[in-house]
Amino acid sequence: MKKTFIIAAICLASFLLLRCDNKTKNFAVTAPVDTNFTINFSPRPPTDLDTGAGERELSQFAWEEFLALNWKSSFNTNSKRDYPDSTWSYKDSSAAYPELNVWETFAHRSELRPYSDQMQPFNNAPHYSYGNAPSPATPSSSFTLFNNLDENNEIGSCDMYAHVNLYKKQYQVLYEAKVNSSEYNYILNTYPTKARLLQATSKTAENIAKYNAYYPNPSTIANDNSTCDCPTSANVVCLPCSSGKKTGAIEIKAAWRMLTPKDDSTKFFTRKVISYAKAPGGGVVYHNSTYALIGLHIIQKTVNYPAFIFATFEHVNVIQDSMGYALLKNGVETGGLKTPSRDPIRPITQAATDYVHSKLPANSIWRNYRLVGVQAKPVNYPDTTNKKTNFFLSNYVVESDTTLSHFNGGGIDSPHNHRPNLLFKGKFISMGGCQGCHGVTQKNAGTDFSFLLDTVGKPILTPDIGNVNTLSKLAQYINANKHAETRIRFIKAALAKKAAKP
């Protein structure tokens, strides 16, 4: 009996070993991840990619953007915003990060769309303009810091919190949106007032509905790059494209939160920022507090990718930091806290992050941040397995609920109906994720993929926390989308009627 047991045990062990060995062999013969990266640590962002760029090239491009935009800014020495300090480098820096980075000096949304309706020169010191001006919480509170966290929700869809397992809703995530000098100066020099910008965006949306193009010039309609370098006489919104040595429009969205006693502050990029609170007697006050960066979107328009290249980064701890979101209905939180989700990071994307981390100095703060994914050439639903793009792309702490993380609809009011949401090379496409969501603003609002150039809550009356007794941000977008769809149907019907006439 004992002998039989021993033989059986040996057989079982051999079987298990064989299974493990087979698993190991199966894993070993799996196609390896291509890690042959060429990622430049340069003070200037890359300006374009070949039209057939794959995941490796897109990951390289995204990291080169990230490294350039997190380069040390020269503002404190020459008062130039969106300009790098050429004497600095990641290799030579003794600090974990500079005292001011390039992207932080981009223009805030309330500078691009000031309530005063008077845009200032780009290089002016930070100057935030609201209809209901907030008051300082203390006499020493500064209103000229570069990071102005005036958004406290995800486009009115949900509120986000950190370490909800320990602190519930004590540590809320706040957001800010900015544009680079190229985009800012384009608006300043062409459509610097609300009225002129609205006229241009309306004309652009009307042209898209009529001609499947930003403006009705036959040569540009047939041109793949017809949304770059549109003539000013066309009176349309056509943001500048990057190419060669020219940097075109870049927008960023950053997510921040205060650190808890459980967090290791040496693992986070932190800044003293402007944040807001409701005043006891009404109105809004601003504070200066230290917040940590946990998410960063970078989108750039290029000649070969006029539907923008979308890249998103996040802190490596966001998933383990017990993030939770509360859905918003009419601006009020409903239901309990939910756990965010996003699609898995692809192996080649993670390999690019590992490569950059290996090249950064040991003390660099950016070894704690990773690339989540990149979108470039839009593809039509249901091509969700396209190998050259992430059909769905979201950030764990920027698009946290299913409305945004798996956006694939024709409008903000219909986020999952698979209808066309953007115009690309003369064709309407039903794209997913960030690109599809931004595409709605292009197709329906005529803003060339920018949420910052529409009229929904802009110019900005007050930081988000002051939006009491007003229609919620999401509801405003839904209403605007419905009006746009009605206008588009009217235009299409008029065209059909005209074509039907003998």
Side-chain angles (χ1 to χ4, degrees):
M1 181 69 179
K2 184 176 181 181
K3 184 177 180 180
T4 302
F5 176 80
I6 293 173
I7 293 173
I10 292 173
C11 290
L12 178 60
S14 300
F15 174 71
L16 291 175
L17 182 62
L18 181 61
R19 286 191 65 191
C20 292
D21 187 54
N22 283 339
K23 285 185 177 180
T24 303
K25 288 180 180 177
N26 288 340
F27 178 80
V29 299
T30 300
V33 172
D34 181 0
T35 57
N36 184 27
F37 295 107
T38 303
I39 298 176
N40 297 309
F41 285 54
S42 170
R44 297 292 185 182
T47 56
D48 212 347
L49 278 168
D50 291 339
T51 55
E55 288 182 278
R56 181 170 59 87
E57 292 79 14
L58 292 172
S59 296
Q60 290 175 169
F61 184 92
W63 265 114
E64 288 184 355
E65 284 182 315
F66 186 90
L67 293 166
L69 298 192
N70 281 294
W71 203 271
K72 181 182 179 182
S73 167
S74 68
F75 182 81
N76 291 332
T77 57
N78 61 11
S79 298
K80 287 185 177 181
R81 299 173 69 165
D82 188 14
Y83 203 84
D85 180 349
S86 60
T87 66
W88 182 89
S89 75
Y90 285 92
K91 181 179 178 181
D92 299 332
S93 177
S94 59
Y97 51 90
E99 67 271 14
L100 184 65
N101 292 354
V102 170
W103 71 262
E104 295 179 273
T105 69
F106 283 12
H108 186 267
R109 66 173 188 153
S110 65
E111 297 178 287
L112 178 71
R113 307 294 305 280
Y115 201 86
S116 66
D117 213 19
Q118 296 180 340
M119 294 179 68
Q120 297 185 24
F122 179 80
N123 285 327
N124 281 12
H127 43 275
Y128 308 118
S129 174
Y130 298 98
N132 296 334
S135 304
T138 67
S140 62
S141 297
S142 172
F143 202 52
T144 59
L145 301 180
F146 271 110
N147 291 294
N148 177 15
L149 315 188
D150 64 344
E151 298 181 71
N152 62 358
N153 56 67
E154 299 181 12
I155 320 180
S157 182
C158 66
D159 290 339
M160 169 63 71
Y161 301 91
H163 290 291
V164 297
N165 58 327
L166 298 175
Y167 304 102
K168 302 301 180 184
K169 298 180 181 180
Q170 185 175 342
Y171 291 92
Q172 185 170 2
V173 178
L174 304 179
Y175 306 89
E176 65 176 336
K178 293 170 172 276
V179 303
N180 71 339
S181 56
S182 179
E183 179 166 341
Y184 185 92
N185 287 327
Y186 169 82
I187 297 300
L188 175 65
N189 294 328
T190 53
Y191 312 115
T193 66
K194 177 182 177 180
R196 289 175 63 180
L197 182 59
L198 176 59
Q199 183 184 41
T201 56
S202 299
K203 184 66 174 177
T204 312
E206 181 179 334
N207 286 345
I208 290 173
K210 285 183 177 180
Y211 311 111
N212 294 7
Y214 281 21
Y215 65 103
N217 184 316
S219 64
T220 60
I221 290 174
N223 187 337
D224 286 349
N225 301 321
S226 61
T227 66
C228 294
D229 299 319
C230 305
T232 54
S233 58
N235 193 36
V236 296
V237 175
C238 184
L239 293 175
C241 295
S242 297
S243 181
K245 295 183 178 181
K246 173 190 171 184
T247 301
I250 298 178
E251 296 185 356
I252 67 96
K253 185 154 193 175
W256 303 78
R257 70 171 175 87
M258 294 186 74
L259 296 178
T260 75
K262 300 290 185 181
D263 291 309
D264 181 355
S265 61
T266 66
K267 303 297 184 183
F268 291 85
F269 175 88
T270 60
R271 284 287 191 244
K272 183 175 284 187
V273 305
I274 301 169
S275 61
Y276 300 88
K278 293 179 182 178
V284 174
V285 296
Y286 60 86
H287 297 263
N288 294 156
S289 309
T290 299
Y291 273 67
L293 181 73
I294 60 171
L296 185 68
H297 274 328
I298 306 171
I299 73 172
Q300 180 176 178
K301 185 180 181 184
T302 79
V303 168
N304 287 339
Y305 294 92
F308 282 78
I309 297 174
F310 289 75
T312 184
F313 296 79
E314 66 187 20
H315 194 274
V316 296
N317 287 350
V318 289
I319 293 179
Q320 69 186 49
D321 283 345
S322 297
M323 309 300 297
Y325 68 87
L327 291 172
L328 293 171
K329 185 176 181 179
N330 298 323
V332 178
E333 291 184 2
T334 61
L337 289 167
K338 304 178 185 296
T339 302
S341 65
R342 60 160 170 72
D343 286 1
I345 296 175
R346 293 188 176 188
I348 189 67
T349 308
Q350 184 58 50
T353 292
D354 294 340
Y355 175 86
V356 172
H357 285 182
S358 73
K359 300 299 181 182
L360 286 167
N363 68 330
S364 174
I365 203 67
W366 305 119
R367 291 165 68 100
N368 299 296
Y369 293 80
R370 65 188 170 207
L371 175 63
V372 176
V374 191
Q375 289 179 319
K377 180 181 178 181
V379 295
N380 210 35
Y381 181 86
D383 189 9
T384 58
T385 60
N386 188 283
K387 300 302 182 183
K388 292 186 178 181
T389 191
N390 290 275
F391 184 83
F392 291 116
L393 179 65
S394 63
N395 186 304
Y396 199 75
V397 293
V398 180
E399 299 91 4
S400 305
D401 65 356
T402 54
T403 296
L404 298 177
S405 65
H406 273 186
F407 184 92
N408 176 221
I412 305 300
D413 58 327
S414 50
H416 305 126
N417 67 359
H418 313 315
R419 294 185 63 189
N421 48 37
L422 64 84
L423 175 71
F424 181 66
K425 296 185 178 180
K427 296 180 180 180
F428 290 108
I429 291 175
S430 178
M431 180 57 179
C434 301
Q435 194 170 45
C437 188
H438 278 256
V440 173
T441 69
Q442 176 224 30
K443 183 176 77 72
N444 290 355
T447 65
D448 201 4
F449 289 87
S450 176
F451 275 101
L452 301 180
L453 301 180
D454 60 38
T455 58
V456 180
K458 305 176 195 73
I460 304 161
L461 177 65
T462 176
D464 280 357
I465 201 166
N467 285 328
V468 293
N469 300 322
T470 60
L471 200 61
S472 73
K473 188 186 299 185
L474 185 61
Q476 291 181 65
Y477 273 112
I478 289 173
N479 284 349
N481 184 74
K482 288 180 178 178
H483 286 306
E485 291 286 3
T486 300
R487 185 179 71 251
I488 291 170
R489 284 195 297 270
F490 178 81
I491 292 172
K492 296 288 189 183
L495 290 172
K497 185 177 181 180
K498 183 178 180 181
K501 288 184 177 181

